[in-house]
Amino acid sequence: MHDDVTSSVVNARPGTESARQAEHMRAFRVYWNSMRKGHDVPRRSDIDPRRIEPLLSNAFIAEQIAPGVTRLRIAGMHLSDVMGMEVRGMPISTLIAPADREAFALHLVDLFDGPAALRFELRSKVSVGRPEMTGTLLMLPLRSDLGDVSRALGCLVTRGQIGRTSRRFEIISSHVEPLVAGRETHAMRALPGGLAGRTSPPRDAADRMRERKASRNHLRLVK
């Protein structure tokens, strides 16, 4: 396990809320990695909620329903609190500011097609009734009962008061960690997109999404 996962809070003073969040996120990631059992991605059925109890209200299980589109199947109360509504069944992109949703969708292609682990550093804009709030979103791929990589275990940890809902987040930075069967890599690589550097998305992810969109356009309902 490496500190890249919680870089936004890694320098927090011991005993502070930020330090506790960082430690919980490290434990969350360590637990997911322990369930790989020599494989690149654990199964959804391998995940025991009791093992992620400190972040249970922040955690979620998401399902890929189309390339770049992922729906929340199970979601902790914190996500509903942030949005001011029940979020189960909603696309996870609902949490993301509209301007960043295309980049977010391309990152989700890497999550499932890589597969890869994703981490986003987030910020929600300050406005009337909405104080400063930042967050870290971690998404880790899972296999379904059928064996395909179409699920994700994730958590959203925020810092600051929620205030008036709904809160949506800009992507400050995005990182991807390609997975190698049986072990973790030693570093996440930065992905283009987000406020830290808005550039074109990675060509391989963009090409995969365009190819899938093109193939879907040839499908027609036969009665």
Side-chain angles (χ1 to χ4, degrees):
M1 187 54 215
H2 34 76
D3 289 339
D4 280 344
V5 174
T6 51
S7 62
S8 64
V9 291
V10 72
N11 296 318
R13 290 182 300 170
T16 64
E17 180 62 25
S18 291
R20 285 190 291 271
Q21 288 180 343
E23 185 56 38
H24 290 330
M25 291 190 75
R26 290 189 188 100
F28 187 95
R29 178 60 186 273
V30 166
Y31 170 64
W32 173 85
N33 193 56
S34 72
M35 300 311 295
R36 294 173 71 184
K37 301 175 182 176
H39 302 290
D40 57 343
V41 176
R43 289 183 177 269
R44 161 67 181 91
S45 56
D46 292 334
I47 302 302
D48 182 354
R50 294 172 296 182
R51 299 290 300 276
I52 57 173
E53 188 172 358
L55 287 180
L56 204 54
S57 66
N58 305 79
F60 59 85
I61 296 288
E63 175 188 13
Q64 179 181 236
I65 57 176
V69 182
T70 303
R71 177 179 59 192
L72 292 163
R73 291 174 60 92
I74 301 171
M77 283 302 300
H78 183 66
L79 280 76
S80 294
D81 291 342
V82 167
M83 291 301 297
M85 66 183 78
E86 174 59 65
V87 297
R88 285 179 298 178
M90 297 173 62
I92 192 171
S93 59
T94 303
L95 294 161
I96 305 300
D100 286 341
R101 287 178 184 171
E102 183 176 356
F104 183 71
L106 289 170
H107 300 342
L108 292 179
V109 173
D110 273 327
L111 171 71
F112 296 109
D113 284 7
L118 296 181
R119 190 190 79 244
F120 301 91
E121 298 302 332
L122 308 172
R123 181 177 67 198
S124 183
K125 283 186 175 180
V126 176
S127 63
V128 177
R130 296 187 175 104
E132 181 178 1
M133 185 166 65
T134 60
T136 300
L137 175 63
L138 182 64
M139 298 186 70
L140 307 169
L142 298 173
R143 293 189 183 277
S144 74
D145 292 339
L146 298 176
D148 59 318
V149 182
S150 61
R151 305 291 191 271
L153 172 67
C155 65
L156 172 66
V157 173
T158 61
R159 296 167 289 280
Q161 297 298 313
I162 294 175
R164 185 163 60 91
T165 57
S166 296
R167 301 299 296 263
R168 290 179 170 83
F169 296 90
E170 300 171 318
I171 298 174
I172 303 303
S173 66
S174 310
H175 296 79
V176 62
E177 180 189 344
L179 300 178
V180 178
R183 65 181 179 87
E184 292 188 89
T185 56
H186 293 291
M188 285 186 163
R189 63 176 175 84
L191 286 171
L195 300 181
R198 293 185 183 275
T199 61
S200 299
R203 183 173 179 79
D204 55 348
D207 288 345
R208 287 198 300 272
M209 179 169 283
R210 281 194 292 269
E211 289 169 2
R212 290 189 178 191
K213 285 182 178 178
S215 66
R216 292 203 307 276
N217 289 338
H218 291 293
L219 298 177
R220 295 291 184 271
L221 177 64
V222 179
K223 297 184 179 180

